[in-house]
């Protein structure tokens, strides 16, 4: 079956927040955000524990790019449009 061309990454912004595909430059901020959230969210995110390392964040953003190229999943970094500060993430799959 023809799956068509790969989906190209998109950046979306309303001037308040910007959604864009994750890049390796996002990995340090993702790591910091995950580490500060361990206590609050680890009951729901089994992968997020005291052993979570910067390399884990880097692998995740690299895998995010692979998913975009395959057209199987579309993960976005959610950033403040004015400051570019990481606010969170969102994704589309299935």
């Amino acid at each position: 079956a023809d799956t068509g061309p790969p989906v190209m990454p998109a950046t979306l912004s309303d001037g308040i927040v910007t959604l864009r595909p994750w890049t390796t430059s996002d990995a340090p901020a993702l790591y910091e955000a995950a580490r500060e959230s361990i206590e609050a969210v680890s009951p729901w995110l089994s992968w997020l524990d005291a052993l979570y390392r910067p390399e884990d964040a880097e692998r995740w953003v690299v895998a995010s790019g692979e998913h975009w190229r395959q057209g199987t999943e579309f993960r976005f970094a959610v950033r403040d449009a004015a400051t570019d500060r990481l606010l969170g993430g969102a994704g589309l799959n299935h």
Side-chain angles (χ1 to χ4, degrees), residues 11-93:
T11 297
L12 308 168
S13 184
D14 64 358
I16 298 170
V17 296
T18 298
L19 280 72
R20 63 167 174 70
W22 291 93
T23 67
T24 53
S25 65
D26 295 316
L30 175 60
Y31 170 75
E32 291 300 322
R35 294 293 304 178
E36 73 182 34
S37 302
I38 287 176
E39 189 174 316
V41 299
S42 64
W44 297 276
L45 303 175
S46 61
W47 54 266
L48 184 55
D49 59 26
L51 300 177
Y52 187 75
R53 299 172 22 163
E55 295 82 10
D56 298 321
E58 176 116 7
R59 270 193 297 278
W60 193 85
V61 296
V62 168
S64 294
E66 289 299 317
H67 291 295
W68 268 100
R69 285 185 283 289
Q70 295 166 1
T72 57
E73 190 171 342
F74 310 100
R75 300 174 181 171
F76 293 89
V78 179
R79 302 191 74 94
D80 183 289
T83 66
D84 201 37
R85 189 177 122 241
L86 180 65
L87 302 174
L92 300 170
N93 58 38

